[in-house]
Amino acid sequence: MKSETRVAVIGGGVVGASVLYHLTKAGWKDVLLIERAELTSGSTWHAAGGMHTVNGDPNVAKLQQYTIELYKEIEQISGQSCGVHITGGLMLAGTRERLDWLKMAKARGRYLGMDLEIISVDEAARLFPLMDKKHFKGAMYDPIEGHVDPYGVTHAYAKSAQLGGAEIVRHTRVTDLKARSDGSWDVITDHGNVHAEYVVNAAGLWAREVGRMVGIELPILAMEHQYLITGDMAELKGKKEQLHCIDFEGELYTRQERGGMLLGTYEKAGVPWSPIETPWDFGQDLLANDLERIAPSLEVAFEHFPALGDAGIRKVVNGPFTFAPDGNPLVGPVKGLKNFWVACGVMAGFSQGGGVGLALSRWLIDGDPGADIWGMDVARYGDWTTLAYTNAKVRENYSRRFSIRFPNEELQATRPLRTTPIYEKLQAANAVFGDYCGLEHSLWFAPDAQSAKDEFSFHRSNDFPHIAAECDAVKNSVGLLEISNYGKFEVKGPGAADWLSRVMANRVPAVGRIALTPMLNERGKLIGDFTMCRVAPEHFLLIGTYAAETYYLRWFERHLPGAGVSIRPCAMEYVGLSIAGPNSRALLQELVRDDLSTAAFPFLSFRRMEIGMVQGYVGRVSFTGELGFEIWVTTDYQRALYDLLVSAGRKYDLRPFGGRALNCMRVEKSFGTWTREYRPIYGPFEAALGRFVDFKKEEFIGRAGAMEEKRAGGALRLLSFKLETKDADALGDEPIWHDGRVVGWVTSGAFGHRVNHSLALGYVPAVLAGATSGFEIEIIGERYPAQPLSEAAYDAKGLRMRT
Ligand SMILES: Cc1cc2nc3c(=O)[nH]c(=O)nc-3n(C[C@H](O)[C@H](O)[C@H](O)COP(=O)(O)OP(=O)(O)OC[C@H]3O[C@@H](n4cnc5c(N)ncnc54)[C@H](O)[C@@H]3O)c2cc1C
C-alpha cells in the first residue's frame, strides 16, 4: 500500500467501488480504496441485484436513471460483465388509492423523461401470467427495470478504476482515523498507515463504526432482509424471462432467477441487525433464516401468485443492509470535520450506486455535486438523530417500504419526541400535529378532540373546512401560529456585517431592520433563503429552514474568516409565535409600550420589546401576506407569551392556525420556500427572487453567476397558476403541460381559501414565461386547465402587510 494518497476510500462494496471509479473518471488518479476483506464483503455480495428508476424524490430518480445507463460503460472499459438483465417491470396496484399513487408516480416520471405506462389488470396479466388477476386493480409498467450481478458490477467498477490509475488494497482494515492540523488524515490500518488528503467513508455495514472513529454518530442502521428462490417452475420453461414485479399490498417483490422465481419481502415486523455495534468478523456470511417472520407476506404471495406456492423453496437468503431514517443515501462532506466525506446508507446500491459515485466525485473535485442532491445529502439530518431515534425511524421506514404515504399522512415513530413549552396548550386547543426534525408542530386545529385527526387522502380531506376557517380568521381578524420550527443562527462580532454581506446576496439591513435574502453558491444558484434581522451593529439573528440547519452550518463553516465573526445555531433557544391579520397590531399594541404604527414600526422592522412581563424580539413580517408580527422569545417565556396573546386576543376573535393554512396563504402570495421553490438547481432570477439580489455590492458569493443569469434571463421561470380542479389540489412534483407537451413541474400547490380557487407554483422554460394560455397541470392522472398569473393571486401589491 502506498504511504500517501489524495483520496482514501474506505470500503470495497458497490458504493466504494463506484466512488473510486468516478474519481478516476473525473481525472483524479492518485486515489486508493482500502477493503477489509475481499471486494463485496458487506451487503453487496448477497444482494438480489434488482434495479429500477422510480424514486419518491425526482432528483434521486434521475441519479438512478444514470446508474442503470452506466453499466454498459463500465462493462466496456473493464471487460467485466455486469450480468445486466433488463426485463421491464410491473408495479401492481391492489387498491384504488394505490392506482392513484401509481398515476402520480407516472406523472412525476413524465418530466424526467421516463417512459412509464398505466395498464389494465388484463394487460398486466398478459405481461406477467403468474399473477392472479382478482387481487389487482391495475398496474404501472416500466420498461427500464431489471437486475444485475452484484459481484460483476462491483468488479467492473473496480477494474475500470484501476485502469484509470486507482489502487485497491484488500485484506486491510482501517482501524482508526487521525486528523492532522491541515485537515488531512492519517488512515491507520492493520497493515500500516497511509496519509490522505481526503477520506471517504463508504464502509457500508460498518459505516457507523468508521464514523465513530472520527466522533460522529451517523444515522444508519442495518436491517435483516430475506428473499427466497423457488425450485424450477414448469410455467417458466421455454418462456421469455419474466418481468420484475412489485406487489405493494403483499409488500413483496419477485423476479425470475434461472428456472425459478426470487421472492423478497419487506415485512412489517422487520428486525434490526447489530443495532449498537457491527461485528468486525462478519464477512461473506449470511444470517439464520426466519421464515416464520415473513410467513404473513408469503401467504399473500402464494395467494396472489399461486404457482409460486407450488414451486417449493430452493434457497433462502437472509442478509443485512443499511438504511438512513428516510431510506435515502447519506452523501457528502460532514459538518465540523475537514476533508471527511461519506457515501453510505445506500439501501439500493444497484439503482443508486452510480449516481452516488458521480455526485460525490463532482462535489469533492469541483466543490459542487452538479445536481440537486438534497434528498441524499448527509446534512439533511441534525443532532436529533440519536441511535435510538434512528433505530425507530429505520424500522418504521422498512416496514413501510411498499406502503402508500398520503400527502397528509404524518409518520408516527419516535413521536412525540421534541416539544415546545406550549405543546399541551395547543393539544388542548385540538391541534393536529406534524413532525418536523423530530419537533411537534401544529398543522391545523379541529373543533373538538375526537375530530382532531387526519383522514388520509390524495384528495381534499377532513381538514379542508377548518383550514378555510383559519385562513378566514387571518384575513378578517387575527390568527395565532407557532413558528418555533425555524432554524436560527446568532451571528456576532466586529466582522459580522461584512461577512454576512459576502455570504448573503441582499444588502445587510440597518440596526432594527430585517432584510429577506437568498444565499447563493459560487455558481450563483440558490442554496438558502433567510430572514436577516439586525439586533445591534455587531449582532444579527438569521432565521431560515430548520431542516437545513446542518447544511447551512457546513456552508458557513467553509466561509467563516479566522476571527471577527462567531456563528451559533440557536434554533431551540428561541421559540416563536406569530400573529397575523388586520387586528394583529391592535392586539399586540395592548401588550407593548412601543408604538406599533407603520410610521414608528414599519414593515420589516425588528426590535427588542417587553410584551407584558415577557422579553423578546418582535419583527414586523408575516409569511401569510397579512399585517403581522413574529415574536421570538427564549423557551422559558413562551407559555407566558402564549397566555398573554390568547387572553388579549379574545376580544379580536383570535384563532389559532397551523402550518397547512400558512402553506395555503404563502402560495396565494407566491412566496417560495426552501426545498420546494428554492433549491440549488434554480437561480435567483428564475425563482423570482431577483429583487433580493443587491448588485450594488461589489462582492458576494455567487455575484458573477447571478449577474450572468440576470443578463441571459435564466433557463427557467417560477410561475403561479390558477387551477380548475375538482376535489384535489396540486401537491408538488406534478407535470405542467403546455400545448400537449410536458414542459415543467409543480413545486407547491394548495387551495387558496382567501381567493377561493386552487393554486400551484411551478417552473416552466423561460421562453414560456409570457404565454397566457395552453397550460395544464396533471393531478392524479387528469389534466386540468391552468391559468398563469402575472402576479400573486392575493394582494399582489403587498399593501395588506405594509399598512
Ligand atoms: C438480502 C439482500 C438483498 C438486497 N437486494 C438488493 C437489490 O435487489 N437491489 C439493490 O439495489 N440492493 C439490494 N440490496 C442492498 C445492497 O446490497 C446495498 O445497497 C449495497 O450492497 C450497499 O453497498 P455498500 O458498498 O454501501 O456497502 P457494503 O456492501 O456493506 O460494503 C462495505 C465494504 O466496506 C468494507 N469495510 C467496512 N469497514 C471497513 C474498514 N474499516 N476497513 C476496510 N474496509 C472496510 C467491508 O468489508 C465491505 O466490503 C440487498 C441487500 C440484501 C442484504
Side-chain angles (χ1 to χ4, degrees):
M1 182 170 68
K2 53 174 139 180
S3 59
E4 293 279 334
T5 187
R6 195 150 192 205
V7 186
V9 178
I10 305 172
V14 63
V15 173
S18 166
V19 167
L20 193 74
Y21 167 64
H22 282 92
L23 287 170
T24 59
K25 190 177 172 188
W28 281 25
K29 314 269 176 218
D30 180 16
V31 291
L32 168 73
L33 185 145
I34 307 171
E35 166 54 47
R36 197 178 60 101
E38 291 293 345
L39 297 180
T40 77
S41 296
S43 0
T44 299
W45 74 276
H46 51 233
M51 56 180 188
H52 52 90
T53 51
V54 175
N55 187 289
D57 181 326
N59 295 291
V60 177
K62 266 190 228 162
L63 291 173
Q64 293 188 184
Q65 273 175 308
Y66 166 81
T67 302
I68 294 172
E69 283 158 16
L70 190 67
Y71 293 132
K72 266 191 245 102
E73 176 180 313
I74 55 172
E75 278 185 339
Q76 249 166 23
I77 297 174
S78 65
Q80 163 74 52
S81 163
C82 294
V84 180
H85 290 238
I86 300 283
T87 56
L90 279 186
M91 294 191 171
L92 295 173
T95 62
R96 274 279 132 222
E97 288 75 20
R98 175 63 67 184
L99 200 55
D100 281 351
W101 185 87
L102 288 178
K103 285 178 187 165
M104 291 163 83
K106 172 195 153 72
R108 205 179 295 135
R110 284 192 204 273
Y111 65 79
L112 297 173
M114 287 158 78
D115 197 9
L116 307 170
E117 214 183 315
I118 299 291
I119 57 175
S120 67
V121 179
D122 285 339
E123 280 170 289
R126 202 174 41 74
L127 291 170
F128 193 70
L130 295 175
M131 66 185 255
D132 181 347
K133 289 197 288 189
K134 72 170 182 274
H135 301 290
F136 301 102
K137 302 248 181 279
M140 183 166 79
Y141 174 68
D142 178 358
I144 310 177
E145 257 194 67
H147 55 100
V148 286
D149 164 23
Y151 173 95
V153 167
T154 311
H155 281 83
Y157 279 130
K159 277 189 195 151
S160 303
Q162 282 171 314
L163 290 169
E167 182 181 333
I168 295 178
V169 290
R170 294 171 302 133
H171 300 286
T172 302
R173 173 152 84 86
V174 174
T175 54
D176 205 358
L177 291 162
K178 299 221 178 300
R180 290 194 183 179
S181 55
D182 64 355
S184 63
W185 293 90
D186 285 314
V187 181
I188 319 293
T189 82
D190 54 3
H191 285 82
N193 304 342
V194 55
H195 175 224
E197 191 179 339
Y198 297 94
V199 165
V200 179
N201 173 3
L205 284 178
W206 294 266
R208 194 180 44 174
E209 282 66 26
V210 170
R212 287 175 189 160
M213 291 176 192
V214 297
I216 56 171
E217 189 64 43
L218 288 164
I220 37 178
L221 174 72
M223 296 292 290
E224 292 192 15
H225 181 70
Q226 299 185 80
Y227 64 79
L228 57 85
I229 297 171
T230 69
D232 286 354
M233 293 166 62
E235 291 83 350
L236 307 182
K237 237 190 192 135
K239 301 259 171 62
K240 218 172 104 206
E241 186 172 7
Q242 292 292 313
L243 270 66
H244 271 232
C245 181
I246 292 179
D247 170 5
F248 290 100
E249 275 62 49
E251 309 201 300
L252 48 92
Y253 59 90
T254 182
R255 70 162 168 88
Q256 188 165 345
E257 174 69 22
R258 296 171 201 226
M261 292 296 286
L262 181 152
L263 178 69
T265 165
Y266 286 83
E267 69 278 17
K268 284 278 173 252
V271 169
W273 178 71
S274 297
I276 314 282
E277 180 102 42
T278 312
W280 286 106
D281 59 359
F282 186 83
Q284 293 206 346
D285 300 304
L286 286 176
L287 308 173
N289 303 331
D290 185 357
L291 286 180
E292 273 297 293
R293 200 167 70 227
I294 60 169
S297 306
L298 294 183
E299 254 171 53
V300 180
F302 298 154
E303 228 181 90
H304 289 189
F305 311 99
L308 266 63
D310 304 330
I313 296 175
R314 188 167 70 216
K315 184 176 166 191
V316 181
V317 171
N318 184 10
F321 64 117
T322 54
F323 295 77
D326 62 4
N328 273 333
L330 298 177
V331 181
V334 174
K335 172 193 75 100
L337 293 170
K338 216 164 165 213
N339 298 349
F340 185 83
W341 293 62
V342 294
C344 58
V346 183
M347 62 78 53
F350 302 96
S351 301
Q352 299 176 334
V356 166
L358 175 73
L360 187 137
S361 62
R362 281 188 180 170
W363 201 348
L364 202 154
I365 294 171
D366 307 334
D368 188 300
D372 183 348
I373 62 138
W374 167 254
M376 349 194 260
D377 192 332
V378 61
R380 71 189 183 279
Y381 288 109
D383 296 345
W384 63 91
T385 55
T386 56
L387 196 68
Y389 173 93
T390 301
N391 187 301
K393 288 305 278 184
V394 168
R395 276 189 289 123
E396 178 185 60
N397 182 271
Y398 187 91
S399 73
R400 296 180 50 95
R401 170 101 175 103
F402 289 145
S403 305
I404 295 177
R405 169 112 188 240
F406 289 94
N408 61 342
E409 180 176 5
E410 292 289 321
L411 301 182
Q412 293 306 321
T414 75
R415 299 182 55 197
L417 177 61
R418 307 171 73 195
T419 56
T420 59
I422 59 167
Y423 174 67
E424 278 83 11
K425 289 178 184 278
L426 296 174
Q427 220 170 16
N430 306 316
V432 175
F433 289 97
D435 164 22
Y436 185 67
C437 306
L439 179 72
E440 296 296 315
H441 67 113
S442 41
L443 299 171
W444 59 281
F445 290 82
D448 51 59
Q450 285 83 335
S451 46
K453 59 173 182 288
D454 279 311
E455 286 164 20
F456 303 146
S457 174
F458 292 118
H459 298 254
R460 290 177 197 145
S461 187
N462 59 318
D463 57 355
F464 191 81
H466 309 296
I467 293 173
E470 290 173 21
C471 293
D472 186 64
V474 175
K475 181 182 177 189
N476 294 311
S477 181
V478 55
L480 172 71
L481 171 79
E482 176 168 33
I483 48 169
S484 302
N485 58 341
Y486 282 88
K488 282 137 249 156
F489 303 91
E490 204 158 44
V491 188
K492 281 184 167 174
D498 285 349
W499 180 72
L500 283 170
S501 177
R502 207 173 78 74
V503 173
M504 301 294 168
N506 204 350
R507 95 182 56 90
V508 170
V511 173
R513 299 288 298 160
I514 293 172
L516 306 173
T517 178
M519 182 163 80
L520 308 180
N521 64 14
E522 280 98 352
R523 295 185 299 125
K525 297 290 184 188
L526 286 170
I527 54 164
D529 69 313
F530 290 94
T531 306
M532 182 166 38
C533 316
R534 192 164 193 173
V535 180
E538 296 181 2
H539 182 182
F540 294 83
L541 188 69
L542 281 181
I543 302 165
T545 306
Y546 188 29
E549 183 183 82
T550 312
Y551 174 89
Y552 292 148
L553 275 173
R554 187 177 61 193
W555 181 259
F556 293 154
E557 214 167 62
R558 201 170 125 194
H559 293 280
L560 268 181
V565 189
S566 69
I567 183 150
R568 196 176 65 85
C570 53
M572 287 302 111
E573 279 168 51
Y574 288 105
V575 286
L577 290 171
S578 163
I579 49 171
N583 286 330
S584 57
R585 177 164 33 217
L587 192 171
L588 191 59
Q589 190 65 77
E590 294 193 10
L591 304 171
V592 301
R593 277 173 286 126
D594 307 63
D595 178 359
L596 295 181
S597 67
T598 293
F601 196 64
F603 184 57
L604 298 181
S605 294
F606 187 79
R607 195 180 300 163
R608 191 150 184 92
M609 289 186 197
E610 287 176 8
I611 310 120
M613 288 186 282
V614 172
Q615 305 176 52
Y617 292 117
V618 179
R620 189 165 152 205
V621 66
S622 173
F623 208 32
T624 61
E626 301 288 351
L627 170 69
F629 300 85
E630 291 185 348
I631 308 169
W632 301 100
V633 294
T634 48
T635 323
D636 46 347
Y637 280 121
Q638 197 199 22
R639 288 174 76 94
L641 176 65
Y642 179 84
D643 289 343
L644 264 180
L645 292 170
V646 167
S647 122
R650 263 186 212 112
K651 80 171 193 236
Y652 300 100
D653 288 334
L654 175 81
R655 181 180 179 128
F657 69 104
R660 289 196 187 147
L662 183 69
N663 187 53
C664 296
M665 292 188 271
R666 66 120 189 137
V667 170
E668 285 174 318
K669 287 291 298 170
S670 303
F671 290 158
T673 186
W674 176 247
T675 76
R676 303 302 323 174
E677 286 71 35
Y678 309 147
R679 298 182 72 124
I681 40 175
Y682 310 124
F685 291 88
E686 292 176 327
L689 289 177
R691 66 189 184 285
F692 299 115
V693 179
D694 179 20
F695 286 117
K696 286 194 217 95
K697 294 196 295 186
E698 278 182 12
E699 202 223 328
F700 61 90
I701 298 171
R703 188 178 191 280
M707 186 66 108
E708 174 53 24
E709 189 200 322
K710 185 177 183 200
R711 191 197 60 76
L716 301 169
R717 194 69 78 245
L718 180 65
L719 293 185
S720 297
F721 293 93
K722 176 179 173 181
L723 280 177
E724 285 169 36
T725 57
K726 280 189 258 166
D727 63 343
D729 301 299
L731 301 163
D733 294 333
E734 292 86 355
I736 302 176
W737 296 72
H738 185 257
D739 290 347
R741 260 182 340 114
V742 173
V743 294
W745 54 91
V746 170
T747 49
S748 298
F751 190 83
H753 293 279
R754 291 179 298 187
V755 296
N756 199 31
H757 53 73
S758 192
L759 292 163
L761 302 177
Y763 282 92
V764 300
V767 287
L768 286 177
T772 52
S773 62
F775 288 103
E776 290 169 307
I777 289 179
E778 182 173 338
I779 300 174
I780 322 177
E782 264 189 72
R783 279 150 64 176
Y784 295 95
Q787 179 63 46
L789 302 174
S790 55
E791 51 185 15
Y794 184 71
D795 186 30
K797 303 277 172 290
L799 298 179
R800 293 177 72 95
M801 57 189 186
R802 287 189 170 80
T803 46

